[in-house]
């Protein structure tokens, strides 16, 4: 019998994505625009794993009951934003012990000098001078473990996290140079618009959920009136001209509002500015407030529905942890073998 001499090609593996948010506060418009919003499109093209990064959160003191509550709220918010648990792996970081295990190994392949250069460490140790703990210092190593465990090809993050992606690549390259091709070298994926949303009160600083001044950030859980009020009292300048000048720090407040408006209306900051030519800051701020509220409204309606269903959320994070373990354990075993541990 003649056999056909055709090669059967294995289907190409879809590229993999890993990302996450810390439940260290209520999620801001910055986290949404710079990260979560973009995951929704990416889930169609990539194999995605998104986690609630609770282990990272404890690098800064948290109230335990609050952290637990916010972790589940974050899961509900992911889903409300359009992340589909049928398409993506959704899990709680601490449910997969491989993260801590790989982080330990990678700690031994990371230099103190590299970690000392990290901007986030410098910023956070200045803000939490009474608690400069070792976890805060080695945060980027845990983040490298998060990414490398899943052999992620891409990591969608905001601009503030790009330095951590760079160190992750350095650690992975160093490990691969010693032991062969163990890790996929990941690329950071930045959004075109809104990769860094700034504080409404100090527009040269990024919007942060742990900002002690709540007027500086818009929480995705804020009352709609509060959102409008915060936008209307955003710091701008006295020039009175609505123009997008990203290089000009004196326009940081207006640039930021233009970026937010652009994302919420699927436009770009220059076009938005053209539309408001000759108008005052008051009218512009009202329009931004309306766009933000209308963008958040459907997410909040979904969120309110999902957060009530605790059994559904539990099913998702349990199932997610199982799937996450399956992928991560393969990488961890390989790493353990390479460094010389006795693997059963
Ligand atoms: N202001 C921002 N603009 C755009 N993207 C942002 N991200 C954070 N802030 C902005 C992106 O959101 C994702 C999740 O961030 P995270 O919670 O893991 O940590 P973070 O970057 O430290 O965020 P915060 O809000 O500033 O948290 P705290 O106050 O706890 O430190 C990341 O992709 C991040 O880039």
């Amino acid at each position: 019998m003649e056999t056909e001499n055709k090669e059967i090609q294995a289907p190409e593996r879809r590229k993999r994505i890993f990302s996450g948010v810390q439940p260290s506060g209520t999620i801001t418009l910055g986290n949404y625009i710079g990260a979560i919003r973009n995951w929704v499109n990416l889930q169609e093209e990539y194999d995605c794993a998104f986690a609630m990064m609770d282990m990272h959160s404890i690098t800064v003191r948290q109230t335990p009951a609050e952290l637990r509550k916010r972790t589940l709220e974050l899961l509900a918010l992911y889903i409300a934003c359009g992340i589909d648990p049928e398409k993506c792996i959704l899990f709680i970081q601490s449910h997969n012990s491989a993260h801590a295990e790989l982080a330990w190994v990678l700690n031994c392949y990371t230099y103190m000098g590299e970690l000392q250069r990290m901007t986030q460490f410098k910023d956070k140790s200045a803000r939490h001078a009474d608690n400069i703990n070792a976890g805060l210092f080695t945060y980027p190593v845990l983040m490298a473990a998060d990414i490398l465990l899943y052999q992620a090809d891409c990591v969608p993050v905001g601009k503030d996290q790009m330095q951590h992606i760079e160190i992750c690549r350095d650690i992975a390259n160093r490990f691969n140079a010693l032991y062969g091709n163990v890790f996929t070298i990941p690329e950071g994926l930045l959004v075109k618009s809104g990769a860094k949303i700034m504080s409404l009160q100090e527009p040269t600083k990024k919007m942060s959920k742990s900002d002690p001044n709540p007027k500086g950030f818009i929480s995705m859980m804020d009352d709609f009136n509060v959102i409008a009020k915060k936008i209307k009292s955003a710091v701008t300048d006295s020039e009175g001209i609505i123009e997008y000048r990203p290089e000009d720090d004196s326009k940081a407040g207006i640039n930021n509002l233009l970026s937010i408006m652009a994302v919420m209306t699927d436009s770009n900051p220059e076009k938005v500015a053209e539309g408001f030519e000759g108008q005052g800051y008051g009218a512009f701020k009202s329009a931004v407030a309306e766009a933000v509220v209308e963008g958040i409204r459907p997410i909040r309606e979904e969120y309110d529905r999902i957060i009530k269903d605790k059994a559904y959320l539990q099913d998702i994070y349990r199932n997610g942890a199982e799937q996450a373990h399956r992928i991560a354990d393969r990488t961890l075993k390989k790493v353990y073998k390479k460094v010389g541990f006795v693997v059963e």
Side-chain angles (χ1 to χ4, degrees):
M1 201 176 97
E2 263 187 86
T3 51
E4 253 190 285
N5 200 11
K6 253 190 208 160
E7 259 187 64
I8 299 170
Q9 296 229 314
E12 231 180 274
R13 170 171 94 78
R14 287 217 303 180
K15 287 199 170 183
R16 194 170 283 151
I17 274 192
F18 178 88
S19 198
V21 174
Q22 303 179 69
S24 47
T26 43
I27 301 314
T28 69
L29 188 68
N31 300 130
Y32 173 64
I33 291 178
I36 306 173
R37 190 172 188 271
N38 312 297
W39 302 351
V40 179
N41 297 326
L42 295 169
Q43 68 186 339
E44 305 302 335
E45 268 178 68
Y46 295 84
D47 284 338
C48 297
F50 300 121
M52 282 64 77
M53 314 307 287
D54 55 349
M55 291 166 72
H56 282 278
S57 316
I58 61 163
T59 53
V60 170
R61 281 289 172 266
Q62 305 290 334
T63 308
E66 280 283 302
L67 179 60
R68 232 183 319 270
K69 183 165 162 271
R70 282 199 305 255
T71 304
L72 293 184
E73 288 172 354
L74 183 54
L75 173 60
L77 191 65
Y78 282 179
I79 302 168
C81 286
I83 310 295
D84 184 347
E86 299 286 325
K87 292 182 181 153
C88 308
I89 302 175
L90 296 179
F91 70 103
I92 299 172
Q93 186 189 22
S94 62
H95 287 188
N96 186 358
S97 53
H99 290 248
E101 291 179 75
L102 182 60
W104 173 253
V105 175
L106 298 182
N107 264 321
C108 305
Y109 294 81
T110 308
Y111 299 113
M112 301 286 285
E114 289 178 296
L115 294 173
Q116 267 153 355
R117 285 196 290 275
M118 294 295 110
T119 315
Q120 180 178 284
F121 173 68
K122 289 187 215 161
D123 287 352
K124 287 205 173 168
S125 39
R127 260 196 281 151
H128 304 278
D130 56 335
N131 181 25
I132 307 175
N133 60 73
L136 192 61
F137 188 62
T138 58
Y139 180 114
V141 184
L142 178 58
M143 180 162 159
D146 302 332
I147 298 164
L148 300 177
L149 271 178
Y150 300 93
Q151 307 288 352
D153 301 279
C154 304
V155 189
V157 284
K159 221 182 221 165
D160 63 310
Q161 290 294 340
M162 278 314 254
Q163 202 185 21
H164 289 166
I165 303 293
E166 278 313 312
I167 195 173
C168 169
R169 289 166 57 89
D170 290 345
I171 299 168
N173 275 317
R174 184 172 306 140
F175 199 92
N176 283 356
L178 285 167
Y179 302 110
N181 252 350
V182 178
F183 296 125
T184 302
I185 307 299
E187 305 240 0
L189 211 61
L190 272 186
V191 279
K192 283 192 200 90
S193 197
K196 195 168 186 184
I197 300 299
M198 312 309 278
S199 155
L200 297 178
Q201 289 301 310
E202 291 174 88
T204 51
K205 286 192 183 156
K206 79 157 186 155
M207 183 181 285
S208 234
K209 61 176 115 63
S210 59
D211 185 340
N213 179 3
K215 285 189 181 161
F217 62 86
I218 292 170
S219 153
M220 295 295 285
M221 295 297 140
D222 274 342
D223 193 84
F224 293 146
N225 290 329
V226 172
I227 294 178
K229 227 183 233 169
K230 285 184 181 178
I231 292 174
K232 285 176 189 167
S233 57
V235 168
T236 48
D237 55 76
S238 53
E239 195 186 34
I241 298 173
I242 302 171
E243 229 171 45
Y244 187 59
R245 288 187 234 141
E247 309 307 330
D248 181 354
D249 265 359
S250 74
K251 296 298 283 182
I254 288 293
N255 291 337
N256 192 35
L257 293 177
L258 285 168
S259 297
I260 293 174
M261 183 73 169
V263 173
M264 300 315 274
T265 57
D266 282 326
S267 179
N268 63 58
E270 290 85 357
K271 251 197 202 143
V272 174
E274 271 172 38
F276 284 91
E277 210 183 316
Q279 296 196 42
Y281 287 173
F284 173 54
K285 283 177 169 177
S286 294
V288 178
E290 194 186 330
V292 171
V293 166
E294 289 319 310
I296 292 180
R297 192 187 298 278
I299 297 173
R300 282 283 285 283
E301 284 168 4
E302 264 303 276
Y303 172 85
D304 289 342
R305 194 180 59 77
I306 298 165
I307 194 65
K308 289 187 195 120
D309 196 344
K310 297 287 184 279
Y312 169 68
L313 292 173
Q314 193 177 55
D315 265 4
I316 288 171
Y317 69 67
R318 281 188 174 160
N319 187 270
E322 242 172 66
Q323 295 182 66
H325 254 300
R326 220 171 298 139
I327 304 171
D329 288 351
R330 226 175 294 144
T331 305
L332 190 65
K333 209 166 198 179
K334 209 166 166 189
V335 168
Y336 276 6
K337 235 187 201 161
K338 293 286 186 187
V339 300
F341 294 169
V342 176
V343 177
E344 286 182 66

